[in-house]
Structures are given as structure tokens and as C-alpha cells.
Amino acid sequence: MQEYPNITITTKDAARLETLLETLSADGFPGRKALEEELYRANVVAPEEVPPSVVTMNSTVRFAMLPAGTERRLKLVYPGKSDASEDSISILAPVGSALLGLAEGDDIHWPNPNGGTLHLVVHEVEDQPERAGHYDL
């Protein structure tokens, strides 16, 4: 069985994501089960209590995809908020689901709905709404 790193999410993100998952059909989102399991196992805290090094919704994170070591910088967003000019990724994309709740230095092997796994390593949370005092994004 795959062992995942501890993750932390905010109460606001957890509530919004649970509502989002309720609106999606099981067939329409192949990564649904994995994201539901992440929400279930997460350490859920008030937005004011989330550590500044944790990837929350609307955070901009710099991470590497291994084994190639390709580094990316993306903003984790809700569906429909993704904008190519903003270099954003939806929470419903495998990479987006994998990043949620990780902290700087964490790595994760995440199931790819198309087969295989993704291996991601978080280098830096460059911007996090909660760290900036924005709790309602």
C-alpha cells in the first residue's frame, strides 16, 4: 500500500472541495476517489492556522516532476478558474490533486488516471492566500 505524506488543508478548502465533489459524476472525474481519500485523511485546520509552507487552494507553488526533474510553477485553482496566462492548474487535474496540502520539501507518488504514477516534490510555496491574510479566496 502506498504511504502518502501528511497533508494539511483549511476548513474552507475542505468544505468547498466536498461540495464540488458532490456535483461531479463518478465517470466525469477519474481522479475523484483519490481526491476524496486525500480530503478524508487530511489534517483540517482553520485558515488562520495553516502553516505558511503548505499548498492551499489559490497558492502558487514551485515543484519538480520526477524522474525528469522538470520544474514547474503553478497556481492551484478551482475548476473554471484556470487561465493559461496565469500558469494555473485545476484541483481536478492529477497534478493539482497531488499538490493540495503538501508542504515545502514533501514528495508524493500520485496515481495517474491514465496509468502509472506521478512523482512530485514541492520546492517552495511562493504565494499562499492565508499567509497574506486572505481567508475568503
Side-chain angles (χ1 to χ4, degrees):
M1 181 173 187
Q2 172 71 39
E3 190 168 317
Y4 294 111
N6 293 329
I7 62 169
T8 302
I9 62 174
T10 68
T11 52
K12 188 167 288 284
D13 287 346
R16 287 180 178 168
L17 291 169
E18 287 170 3
T19 299
L20 172 65
L21 287 171
E22 289 172 4
T23 67
L24 299 173
S25 70
D27 297 337
F29 174 40
R32 180 185 184 135
K33 183 177 180 211
L35 182 54
E36 286 175 336
E37 289 173 357
E38 284 294 271
L39 295 177
Y40 179 75
R41 73 179 192 84
N43 176 34
V44 181
V45 300
E48 300 83 7
E49 296 173 6
V50 69
S53 60
V54 169
V55 180
T56 62
M57 293 302 301
N58 298 301
S59 290
T60 300
V61 58
R62 191 170 49 82
F63 64 97
M65 296 182 72
L66 301 177
T70 307
E71 189 166 283
R72 303 283 311 267
R73 180 184 180 270
L74 297 172
K75 181 176 181 179
L76 182 62
V77 298
Y78 291 98
K81 303 294 183 186
S82 186
D83 179 351
S85 67
E86 217 178 352
D87 290 328
S88 57
I89 185 122
S90 170
I91 184 65
L92 299 183
V95 170
S97 294
L99 288 170
L100 179 67
L102 294 178
E104 293 172 352
D106 283 347
D107 72 293
I108 192 167
H109 292 267
W110 188 258
N112 187 339
N114 298 326
T117 59
L118 302 169
H119 185 187
L120 307 175
V121 178
V122 175
H123 290 301
E124 180 183 9
V125 177
E126 294 181 354
D127 182 44
Q128 181 204 69
E130 294 81 7
R131 181 169 63 205
H134 303 289
Y135 303 116
D136 294 322
L137 292 180

